[in-house]
Amino acid sequence: MPNTINFDRVCLIGVGLIGSSLVLAIRENNLSKEIIGFDLNDKALIQAKSLGIIDEARNSLDEAVENADLIIIATPVGASSEIIHTLSKNKTTALIIDVGSVKATIVDAAQAVGKDLTIVPCHPIAGTEQSGPEAGFARLFNDRWCIVTPLPRTDDAYRRATETAAALWRAVGSKVEIMDAAHHDLALAVTSHLPHLIAFTLVGAADDLENVNEAEIVKYSAGGFRDFTRIAASDPVMWRDVFLGNKEAVLEVLGRFSEELSILQRAIRWGDAQTLEQSFSRGRRLRRAIVEAGQETGKPNFGRDR
Amino acid sequence: MPNTINFDRVCLIGVGLIGSSLVLAIRENNLSKEIIGFDLNDKALIQAKSLGIIDEARNSLDEAVENADLIIIATPVGASSEIIHTLSKNKTTALIIDVGSVKATIVDAAQAVGKDLTIVPCHPIAGTEQSGPEAGFARLFNDRWCIVTPLPRTDDAYRRATETAAALWRAVGSKVEIMDAAHHDLALAVTSHLPHLIAFTLVGAADDLENVNEAEIVKYSAGGFRDFTRIAASDPVMWRDVFLGNKEAVLEVLGRFSEELSILQRAIRWGDAQTLEQSFSRGRRLRRAIVEAGQETGKPNFGRDR
């Protein structure tokens, strides 16, 4: 398939890790003539300009989207409904995509404004524990999956818009999967939201122990704890919005986690060696599958030690 | 301090990741003339010999410890009490160290045999998710902490033995901390045992969901799940023994974890944005401290992506 992605003016709303990485990838692959940026955080916006991530910074959303043919919403998901409302008053004809980790909320917001806007909800399954424009890099999406959750619209224009969005993600190195928003939100509750919640919980529980001090936790963190601190160092505002936006699915998979934890807790209390060993044996198989799928490094300790 | 560590014959009991790495480090630093190995697993023992990790393999524990001046117990911790019992009948005069992740049980076993044996319990806070002799490497202990939990003995001979054990760990690149076994078991319950239990639980919970299949978990694991699979891929038998051996401390810190999880679960259910954001903000500080202490890489995604 020839690369047919060619925008005249991309507008990036939110110059954080994901948005900055995406426009850097757009830039590297010559997919747009010009990139305009907007962010409520002036400092981040100026930085994005000075780092060459965006060509121009704008002081208002209305100015920023002027003449854009692609608008990327890359804010914490809690802000996207309001942005869509503003865009609908603005009557932009651009293709609008977002990159949020929760999809049912944006589908609902997009449905509410009807066909005035062309919104294709997207979620690239990629990121790092860092945030802000300085953390962005063009290869972030390479070999990662991007899930697209189209609105329930059957018109040709919308079908073409969905294809364009998918082609954009492929052009920056991603593999694309189409699914409905509800299934996305459940699958990601398992593979992303619950792991983050558990990591935040573990770090929080360690933070206020009375009998083990922080210096000891730091010193002996190579025993396993340090692995959890990576995702627990992720952007607190972004994750606050994820849990507020995907409440039901998160609580459902959290229930499943708690059941499993109770089984292991009971096995420890009763000295049930067989249950522990059997349960622990499942990890290797799943990790091997993830490494073989190219979604993880096979090097010991993530390769970080050497 | 000059390097005064010089053994004639080291006997390694258990040729797994930790034991193999330790004798490889002993070899690399010329700390012993000869290294003898023993393991109940014949295949691993033959492999350790053919990989040059040990000089000679022996078919029985009694033969293996003959004329040894350093004995390293590097089996799953459940086996160490029986090994100590056998060694006490053998009346070896060697310095005996272990490398187990739980220390109260070995201290109790060592106390039970009295002063016939010179046992200095040790725990290097280092490892990878892999196991077996082929996973061993000499630099595993470099810049990691090793906790030594001496027995409550006040004789000069034991004090010198403790110093020798500490000097051995320093000679292979570790930093040494002395503490009592009970505090070790609590500190490690926080920094190592609970993280492993949680990782095993998360992987187990994901393994038998009815509405999200394994292929999806594998595909979208870069959202956070994959981080947990590293330690969930650790040796099941070793970890079974850790939880059986450190039951009380693990259940105590697990209780603290469950309280924290309940607070966040409730905050999600009630849409309490402030509690979520405040709680999530603690992760960055702790991670920064761990990176600054040289116990973790500061590279995004553990540096595994590039």
Side-chain angles (χ1 to χ4, degrees):
Chain A
M1 188 179 68
N3 176 14
T4 55
I5 301 296
N6 227 316
F7 296 105
D8 285 321
R9 177 177 281 193
V10 170
C11 169
L12 172 63
I13 305 171
V15 296
L17 165 70
I18 302 292
S20 294
S21 295
L22 181 53
V23 298
L24 282 170
I26 286 172
R27 197 177 279 287
E28 193 173 277
N29 291 283
N30 293 311
L31 307 178
S32 178
K33 294 196 182 70
E34 195 177 18
I35 295 165
I36 307 296
F38 173 71
D39 201 302
L40 289 178
N41 180 338
D42 285 337
K43 208 180 128 197
L45 188 60
I46 291 166
Q47 200 176 10
K49 172 85 165 68
S50 71
L51 288 169
I53 294 167
I54 56 174
D55 295 308
E56 298 293 337
R58 293 285 186 265
N59 293 318
S60 79
L61 190 53
D62 283 329
E63 285 174 57
V65 300
E66 214 174 75
N67 297 323
D69 47 1
L70 173 68
I71 297 172
I72 302 165
I73 304 175
T75 61
V77 292
S80 39
S81 297
E82 194 183 323
I83 290 168
I84 288 172
H85 184 68
T86 304
L87 294 179
S88 77
K89 288 189 294 183
N90 179 291
K91 301 192 193 306
T92 174
T93 58
L95 167 62
I96 302 167
I97 65 170
D98 81 315
V99 297
S101 305
V102 181
K103 298 266 66 86
T105 46
I106 189 133
V107 166
D108 290 348
Q111 292 271 87
V113 297
K115 295 191 181 181
D116 291 348
L117 297 178
T118 305
I119 302 176
V120 180
C122 303
H123 179 206
I125 317 300
T128 78
E129 66 278 22
Q130 302 191 341
S131 54
E134 73 280 15
F137 59 102
R139 291 185 53 80
L140 179 61
F141 309 104
N142 202 52
D143 283 337
R144 299 280 89 91
W145 286 88
C146 181
I147 299 177
V148 177
T149 63
L151 308 184
R153 280 175 58 174
T154 53
D155 53 302
D156 270 4
Y158 190 75
R159 194 182 45 71
R160 281 195 302 276
T162 303
E163 282 168 12
T164 303
L168 169 65
W169 289 107
R170 290 193 191 98
V172 298
S174 290
K175 298 172 277 190
V176 173
E177 190 83 26
I178 309 280
M179 66 177 70
D180 69 79
H183 188 70
H184 167 279
D185 288 356
L186 184 61
L188 270 289
V190 178
T191 59
S192 179
H193 307 172
L194 180 63
H196 276 81
L197 185 68
I198 295 306
F200 285 127
T201 302
L202 190 78
V203 170
D207 196 40
D208 51 353
L209 285 168
E210 58 292 336
N211 37 20
V212 180
N213 65 44
E214 187 176 306
E216 291 181 307
I217 291 168
V218 168
K219 271 177 167 176
Y220 311 132
S221 60
F225 185 82
R226 61 176 175 164
D227 282 24
F228 288 72
T229 62
R230 189 188 76 78
I231 63 177
S234 301
D235 184 23
V237 172
M238 172 196 154
W239 283 98
R240 176 200 69 192
D241 282 6
V242 168
F243 293 112
L244 297 176
N246 198 23
K247 180 166 92 170
E248 283 177 36
V250 169
L251 291 176
E252 182 182 329
V253 298
L254 178 54
R256 188 65 200 81
F257 172 88
S258 296
E259 287 170 26
E260 183 73 22
L261 187 56
S262 295
I263 293 168
L264 293 180
Q265 183 170 14
R266 186 186 167 90
I268 292 171
R269 197 180 292 285
W270 289 89
D272 178 354
Q274 197 184 3
T275 296
L276 294 175
E277 189 180 337
Q278 277 177 0
S279 174
F280 297 170
S281 298
R282 298 181 291 190
R284 289 197 164 173
R285 191 178 52 76
L286 196 52
R287 182 164 180 85
R288 198 180 313 122
I290 292 172
V291 170
E292 282 168 5
Q295 296 301 306
E296 177 62 288
T297 174
K299 294 181 200 162
N301 282 342
F302 303 115
R304 62 183 161 201
D305 289 340
R306 301 200 243 189
Chain B
M1 189 177 70
N3 175 14
T4 55
I5 301 297
N6 226 316
F7 296 105
D8 284 321
R9 178 179 279 191
V10 169
C11 168
L12 172 63
I13 304 170
V15 296
L17 166 69
I18 302 293
S20 294
S21 295
L22 182 53
V23 298
L24 283 170
I26 285 174
R27 199 178 278 288
E28 194 173 277
N29 292 283
N30 294 311
L31 306 179
S32 177
K33 294 197 181 70
E34 195 177 18
I35 294 165
I36 307 297
F38 173 70
D39 202 301
L40 289 179
N41 180 338
D42 284 337
K43 207 180 129 199
L45 188 60
I46 291 165
Q47 200 177 8
K49 171 87 166 67
S50 71
L51 288 168
I53 293 168
I54 56 174
D55 296 307
E56 299 294 336
R58 293 285 185 266
N59 293 317
S60 79
L61 190 54
D62 283 330
E63 285 175 56
V65 300
E66 215 172 75
N67 296 323
D69 48 359
L70 173 67
I71 297 172
I72 302 164
I73 304 174
T75 61
V77 291
S80 39
S81 297
E82 195 183 322
I83 290 169
I84 288 173
H85 184 66
T86 304
L87 294 178
S88 77
K89 287 190 294 183
N90 179 289
K91 300 193 191 307
T92 174
T93 58
L95 168 61
I96 302 167
I97 65 171
D98 82 315
V99 296
S101 304
V102 181
K103 299 265 68 84
T105 46
I106 189 136
V107 166
D108 291 346
Q111 292 272 87
V113 298
K115 294 192 181 180
D116 292 348
L117 296 177
T118 305
I119 303 176
V120 179
C122 302
H123 179 206
I125 318 301
T128 79
E129 65 278 22
Q130 303 191 340
S131 53
E134 73 281 17
F137 59 101
R139 289 184 55 81
L140 178 61
F141 309 105
N142 202 52
D143 283 335
R144 299 280 89 91
W145 286 88
C146 181
I147 299 178
V148 176
T149 64
L151 308 183
R153 280 173 58 173
T154 53
D155 52 303
D156 269 4
Y158 191 75
R159 192 182 47 72
R160 281 194 302 274
T162 303
E163 281 169 11
T164 303
L168 169 65
W169 289 108
R170 290 193 191 100
V172 300
S174 289
K175 297 173 278 190
V176 173
E177 190 83 27
I178 309 280
M179 66 177 69
D180 69 80
H183 188 70
H184 166 279
D185 287 356
L186 184 60
L188 270 290
V190 178
T191 59
S192 179
H193 308 171
L194 181 61
H196 276 80
L197 185 69
I198 295 307
F200 286 127
T201 302
L202 190 79
V203 170
D207 195 40
D208 51 353
L209 286 168
E210 59 292 336
N211 37 22
V212 179
N213 64 44
E214 187 175 305
E216 290 180 307
I217 290 169
V218 168
K219 271 177 167 175
Y220 311 133
S221 60
F225 185 82
R226 61 176 175 165
D227 282 24
F228 289 73
T229 62
R230 189 188 75 78
I231 63 176
S234 300
D235 185 22
V237 172
M238 173 197 154
W239 282 99
R240 176 201 69 191
D241 282 6
V242 168
F243 292 112
L244 297 176
N246 197 23
K247 180 166 92 169
E248 282 177 36
V250 169
L251 292 177
E252 182 182 328
V253 299
L254 178 54
R256 188 64 200 82
F257 172 87
S258 296
E259 286 170 27
E260 184 73 23
L261 186 57
S262 295
I263 292 168
L264 294 180
Q265 183 170 14
R266 186 186 167 90
I268 292 171
R269 196 180 294 284
W270 289 89
D272 178 352
Q274 197 185 0
T275 296
L276 294 175
E277 189 180 338
Q278 277 177 358
S279 175
F280 297 169
S281 298
R282 296 181 291 188
R284 289 198 163 173
R285 192 178 50 77
L286 197 51
R287 183 165 179 82
R288 199 180 312 122
I290 292 171
V291 170
E292 282 169 5
Q295 296 301 306
E296 177 61 287
T297 175
K299 294 181 200 163
N301 282 342
F302 304 115
R304 63 183 162 202
D305 290 340
R306 303 198 240 188

